[in-house]
Amino acid sequence: MTTLIHPTAVIHPDAELHPTVQVGAYAVIGNRVKVGPGTVVGAHVVLDGWTEIGARNQIFPGAAIGLPPQDLKYDGAITQVKIGDDNLIREYVTINRATYTGEATVIGNGNLLMAYVHVGHNCVIEDRVVIANSTALAGHVHIEARATISGVLGIHQFVRVGRLAMVGGMSRINRDVPPYMLVEGNPARVRSLNLVGLRRSGLMDADQGRTYQALKKAFRTLYRSGLPLNQAIEQIDLLPDCEPLQHLRQFLQLSQLPSRRGLIPGSSRSRGAD
């Protein structure tokens, strides 16, 4: 075990590290931290607070995880960061704890957070999400599974980014990004279906042709028909049913709740979904 921990690392005796965890030079690990098997903690990494990290994660040099939230309402409450398995957390990523007692900032499994990504308090990142360099997530942002967030952009607090969505670089994201859509710009607009993401996910394979056609018709109904959102959703209800379409419909409806920020609108210059 001692051969896996660099002699300059500072690890509190109460920290719980699996014997297979590797810790690099000058890393600092606090007393309430738990780290699972096969995880690699790079040089100069700081792990603090009530932080739980799963198996086979790679945390690159300079990352800071589990420090208090950047929220003036925080009063020292016991809050958490929970990170799953098989994540790549690159250089100088910051992941803050939640604000109020019993709450958590949550990272799922198989995600890639590139250098200088900031994950604010109470954020949720599901599984297989890619977030590129120098992207900042404000508090309470929720990123659904397999979304791709390009670099050098900000996401407003309480915004939700849908499953398999793609957000273009240097965009300003201040409202919800619908699932399966490509969004970019300042102000951000829905431009098309995320064709690359759909293809990589298998939703454009021959046996999924019915699903893809339903999503394409839903896109045209939402962003090409000129119908108000409620009427567009009614038209989508008439399309052949499939799980991705159900998820899209539910996302659109929930985005209209008073607690949400509404949807990013479409663009008259949207590219076709063909």
Side-chain angles (χ1 to χ4, degrees):
M1 177 177 175
T2 55
T3 60
L4 301 176
I5 298 176
H6 195 277
T8 62
V10 179
I11 302 174
H12 194 283
D14 292 337
E16 299 181 23
L17 274 61
H18 190 274
T20 59
V21 170
Q22 299 180 44
V23 182
Y26 301 102
V28 178
I29 300 179
N31 61 320
R32 302 179 186 91
V33 174
K34 299 179 182 180
V35 184
T39 289
V40 178
V41 179
H44 297 277
V45 167
V46 176
L47 306 179
D48 199 14
W50 293 267
T51 296
E52 298 180 7
I53 299 173
R56 300 176 303 279
N57 296 284
Q58 294 187 51
I59 306 173
F60 284 72
I65 300 173
L67 276 67
Q70 299 176 73
D71 187 343
L72 293 175
K73 299 185 296 298
Y74 181 68
D75 61 2
I78 296 175
T79 63
Q80 293 180 291
V81 167
K82 295 182 178 181
I83 298 175
D85 304 330
D86 301 304
N87 296 288
L88 294 175
I89 300 173
R90 296 296 310 226
E91 296 84 353
Y92 302 101
V93 166
T94 55
I95 304 173
N96 291 164
R97 297 201 315 271
T99 297
Y100 294 117
T101 300
E103 296 178 341
T105 301
V106 179
I107 313 291
N109 304 311
N111 300 293
L112 168 56
L113 277 58
M114 298 186 193
Y116 297 98
V117 166
H118 171 69
V119 180
H121 62 86
N122 296 86
C123 285
V124 175
I125 299 174
E126 296 184 5
D127 301 331
R128 300 177 68 183
V129 171
V130 175
I131 306 180
N133 304 69
S134 301
T135 291
L137 278 57
H140 299 273
V141 168
H142 189 126
I143 311 293
E144 294 184 352
R146 303 187 72 173
T148 299
I149 315 295
S150 298
V152 196
L153 62 86
I155 301 181
H156 197 284
Q157 62 184 357
F158 294 101
V159 160
R160 193 173 184 114
V161 177
R163 180 197 301 174
L164 274 168
M166 169 73 185
V167 178
M170 295 188 286
S171 297
R172 176 175 177 263
I173 306 302
N174 62 348
R175 301 190 207 176
D176 289 353
V177 175
Y180 316 111
M181 304 297 169
L182 187 154
V183 166
E184 64 88 27
N186 184 1
R189 294 290 183 265
V190 176
R191 306 296 180 181
S192 70
L193 283 174
N194 177 19
L195 298 181
V196 173
L198 292 174
R199 186 176 297 113
R200 289 175 177 174
S201 72
L203 287 177
M204 293 177 67
D205 294 346
D207 60 345
Q208 294 286 345
R210 183 168 172 266
T211 296
Y212 170 63
Q213 291 300 323
L215 288 174
K216 186 163 69 171
K217 290 177 181 177
F219 168 79
R220 289 175 171 169
T221 301
L222 286 166
Y223 301 111
R224 295 293 185 82
S225 68
L227 292 172
L229 179 60
N230 290 338
Q231 293 182 28
I233 293 175
E234 291 175 359
Q235 292 299 310
I236 291 172
D237 289 339
L238 302 176
L239 296 174
D241 198 26
C242 58
E243 193 280 331
L245 198 62
Q246 292 174 7
H247 182 73
L248 173 61
R249 185 165 52 232
Q250 182 183 48
F251 188 100
L252 297 173
Q253 292 169 336
L254 292 176
S255 287
Q256 306 311 301
L257 295 175
S259 60
R260 299 277 282 270
R261 294 187 54 82
L263 291 165
I264 286 180
S267 168
S268 59
R269 297 178 297 151
S270 294
R271 298 191 299 273
D274 295 312

